[in-house]
């Protein structure tokens, strides 16, 4: 039985969109037989991003009708997103920003839907033209999306066109997490990182991959860690740019609000101070989503500027930009991501993942399969190798780089690609 293929054309396609659709169809026909033979709702179906024009117009109308708060009473970011920084971004959103360019960017890549464990899962799947490409599943985080990762698709799948060698090639799979982007929103509890990890293994098996690697940052790091802990047959190893390494005794001292313990190395002391700052000054966003995602969701779902401010504040915190995210991401890139949440109505379901997990994702894991770590200077904390060795017992790669932040692939796609090539070289 062949896979179901669903295509809808609402807008007149441009030449680029026609080429994208042709590529997507070719990718579907090239899928291994197990994927094409899936029955019923489990079939792999072609997907194309098409937001109705009335929704685009309504967003612009709402943005232009913004009711602005008064200016903050401080001269820094200690009260949150600053009015003078956010307002120009929002004014651009309501005038010159073009969502259709984001659609074209997404539709350049082959996208699909498939039903796993009762939910429709959206994913990008791009196969390399090089033989023996290593299958790679990459998972985005919050407040990101698959858009975090799309700039790496070309370099990863076609390395010879980007300064690499054919043996560096990957087949790339980038799913939207449940309740994010175009994936279905769960209507029951239980969709935490453990379940997502199992779903990702099912996805890779459905696509015909018997051996593969996993990568993630933010929630993607948590999902990759869970996959490594489950150690399903065929998972060769993981790479993370937000490793979970904080030792139990350090975690306790942090929870108790104590100063840095004696005897820490220089790297460990820096990490301790960074984590302490997060706990005392920077974790309010997470506390809201862990305890009251639904209440928060009413504001985020009804107000586009409320949504943008909530996310822009984290772009400022987590990019390697000194609080000036436009130095790391363009206005269009930030608005593409924010608009994706708006059009799909997934701000509440995205926040709900924090309620589902309700755990400290920095505390040390106990991982035995091969693991690789890249430490970016703008990450929430710079994990010391001494801690990483104790959490990831088969640490095959550890490297500190000098550029990039929490949104590593988005901010530094070339460097990120280089790190993945190096990290997984011994697992091919």
């Amino acid at each position: 039985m062949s896979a179901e293929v669903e295509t809808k054309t609402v807008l007149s396609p441009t030449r680029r969109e026609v080429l994208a659709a042709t590529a997507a169809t070719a990718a579907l026909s090239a899928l291994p037989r197990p994927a094409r033979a899936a029955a019923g709702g489990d079939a792999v179906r072609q997907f194309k991003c098409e937001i109705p024009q009335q929704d685009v117009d309504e967003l612009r109308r709402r943005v232009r009708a913004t009711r602005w708060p008064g200016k903050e009473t401080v001269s820094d970011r200690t009260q949150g997103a600053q009015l003078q920084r956010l307002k120009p971004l929002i004014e651009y959103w309501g005038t010159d920003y073009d969502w259709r360019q984001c659609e074209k960017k997404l539709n350049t890549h082959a996208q699909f839907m498939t039903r796993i464990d009762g939910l429709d899962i959206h994913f990008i799947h791009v196969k390399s033209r090089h033989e023996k490409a290593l299958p790679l599943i990459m998972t985005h985080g919050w407040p990101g999306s698959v858009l975090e990762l799309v700039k790496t698709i070309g370099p990863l799948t076609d390395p010879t066109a980007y300064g690499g060698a054919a043996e560096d090639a990957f087949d790339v799979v980038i799913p939207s997490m449940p309740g994010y982007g175009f994936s279905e929103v769960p209507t029951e509890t239980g969709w935490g990182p453990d379940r997502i990890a199992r779903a990702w293994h099912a996805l890779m098996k459905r696509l015909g991959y018997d051996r593969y690697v996993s990568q993630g940052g933010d929630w993607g790091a948590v999902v990759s860690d869970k996959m490594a802990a489950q150690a399903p047959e065929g998972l060769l190893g993981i790479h993370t740019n937000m490793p979970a390494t904080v030792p139990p005794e350090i975690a306790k001292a942090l929870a108790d609000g104590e100063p840095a313990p004696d005897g820490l190395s220089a790297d460990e002391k820096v990490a301790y101070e960074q984590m302490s700052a997060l706990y005392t000054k920077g974790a309010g966003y997470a506390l809201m989503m862990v305890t009251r995602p639904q209440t928060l969701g009413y504001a985020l779902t009804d107000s586009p500027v409320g949504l943008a401010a909530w996310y822009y504040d984290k772009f400022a915190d987590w990019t390697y930009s000194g609080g000036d995210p436009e130095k790391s991401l363009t206005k269009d890139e930030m608005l593409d991501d924010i608009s994706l949440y708006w059009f799909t109505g997934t701000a509440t379901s995205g926040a709900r993942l924090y309620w589902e997990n309700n755990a400290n994702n920095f505390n040390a894991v106990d991982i035995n399969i091969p693991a690789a770590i890249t430490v970016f200077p703008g990450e929430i904390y710079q994990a010391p190798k001494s801690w990483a060795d104790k959490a990831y017992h088969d640490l095959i790669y550890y490297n500190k780089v000098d550029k990039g932040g929490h949104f590593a692939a988005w901010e530094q796609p070339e460097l990120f690609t280089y790190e993945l090539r190096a990290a997984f070289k011994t697992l091919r």
Side-chain angles (χ1 to χ4, degrees):
M1 182 184 297
S2 62
E4 300 172 13
V5 177
E6 296 180 355
T7 55
K8 292 192 301 181
T9 303
V10 176
L11 305 173
S12 298
T14 65
R15 181 176 182 272
R16 185 176 179 184
E17 290 171 323
V18 170
L19 290 173
T22 301
T25 302
L28 182 63
S29 63
L31 287 174
R33 186 169 181 82
R36 291 186 283 117
D42 292 346
V44 175
R45 296 117 55 198
Q46 186 176 315
F47 175 84
K48 184 178 180 182
C49 173
E50 293 175 317
I51 300 299
Q53 185 60 41
Q54 64 188 35
D55 292 353
V56 177
D57 294 340
E58 173 62 9
L59 171 59
R60 181 167 287 187
R61 185 196 68 78
R62 282 175 172 259
V63 168
R64 288 175 170 175
T66 296
R67 184 184 180 194
W68 291 100
K71 185 181 181 297
E72 62 278 0
T73 57
V74 293
S75 59
D76 54 25
R77 297 185 52 251
T78 56
Q79 292 182 356
Q82 295 168 288
L83 183 64
Q84 66 178 6
R85 300 302 308 277
L86 184 63
K87 197 169 185 178
L89 180 69
I90 300 304
E91 289 174 344
Y92 173 71
W93 200 14
T95 53
D96 296 331
Y97 170 73
D98 184 2
W99 163 257
R100 297 302 179 199
Q101 294 303 311
C102 180
E103 279 192 340
K104 290 178 181 179
K105 178 166 54 180
L106 280 172
N107 290 333
T108 296
H109 305 293
Q111 300 174 82
F112 304 95
M113 284 280 195
T114 191
R115 197 159 188 81
I116 299 175
D117 197 7
L119 287 185
D120 272 344
I121 300 298
H122 163 261
F123 64 99
I124 296 170
H125 184 202
V126 180
K127 299 193 72 175
S128 175
R129 62 186 176 87
H130 298 291
E131 293 184 6
K132 298 181 180 179
L134 179 63
L136 164 68
I137 184 167
M138 295 196 292
T139 311
H140 65 85
W142 178 95
S145 63
V146 296
L147 292 168
E148 282 182 72
L149 302 166
V150 294
K151 287 191 286 188
T152 68
I153 292 175
L156 289 170
T157 59
D158 191 9
T160 56
Y162 293 86
E167 55 266 27
D168 294 325
F170 295 88
D171 283 356
V172 171
V173 178
I174 309 175
S176 296
M177 290 192 297
Y180 285 74
F182 297 107
S183 284
E184 190 174 354
V185 173
T187 57
E188 61 180 8
T189 61
W191 272 101
D194 275 301
R195 192 169 178 180
I196 296 172
R198 291 193 295 271
W200 279 192
H201 178 65
L203 174 60
M204 295 303 279
K205 295 293 285 185
R206 184 169 298 174
L207 295 176
Y209 294 125
D210 294 325
R211 56 192 301 276
Y212 65 94
V213 292
S214 176
Q215 195 286 326
D218 194 84
W219 279 117
V222 182
V223 170
S224 290
D225 283 342
K226 295 295 185 182
M227 295 177 75
Q230 293 166 8
E233 184 178 358
L235 177 61
L236 304 177
I238 66 169
H239 174 274
T240 173
N241 51 283
M242 195 189 81
T245 69
V246 179
E249 67 278 9
I250 301 298
K252 183 179 185 304
L254 284 165
D256 293 341
E258 297 175 0
D262 294 334
L264 297 183
S265 70
D267 284 352
E268 291 169 348
K269 189 171 183 179
V270 168
Y272 189 93
E273 297 300 336
Q274 290 171 329
M275 293 303 300
S276 180
L278 173 67
Y279 290 176
T280 57
K281 300 177 182 178
Y285 77 99
L287 185 60
M288 279 290 296
M289 293 192 287
V290 163
T291 60
R292 291 294 186 271
Q294 191 69 21
T295 302
L296 177 65
Y298 294 114
L300 301 185
T301 303
D302 185 63
S303 169
V305 176
L307 176 69
W310 191 245
Y311 291 0
Y312 182 84
D313 192 48
K314 305 326 293 177
F315 295 154
D317 276 347
W318 294 344
T319 52
Y320 189 47
S321 65
D324 186 2
E326 285 86 353
K327 290 181 179 178
S328 295
L329 302 171
T330 68
K331 287 183 177 179
D332 283 333
E333 286 173 335
M334 288 186 283
L335 291 173
D336 287 347
D337 184 65
I338 295 165
S339 298
L340 179 61
Y341 276 89
W342 176 264
F343 288 130
T344 58
T346 52
T348 307
S349 52
R352 207 174 283 140
L353 182 56
Y354 284 75
W355 184 92
E356 286 284 353
N357 188 61
N358 194 14
N360 189 316
N361 296 318
F362 299 102
N363 288 350
V365 291
D366 183 18
I367 301 300
N368 293 307
I369 75 168
I373 292 172
T374 302
V375 177
F376 288 85
E379 186 51 87
I380 293 172
Y381 86 117
Q382 278 71 65
K385 188 173 187 299
S386 57
W387 292 359
D389 281 327
K390 296 175 183 177
Y392 299 87
H393 308 304
D394 188 4
L395 188 63
I396 59 172
Y397 182 85
Y398 176 97
N399 191 34
K400 284 188 173 183
V401 295
D402 61 359
K403 295 182 290 185
H406 184 73
F407 307 99
W410 213 4
E411 298 177 61
Q412 295 292 334
E414 182 178 348
L415 177 58
F416 181 86
T417 299
Y418 176 86
E419 285 298 301
L420 261 61
R421 292 172 183 169
F424 291 126
K425 185 172 288 291
T426 61
L427 298 183
R428 290 181 177 275

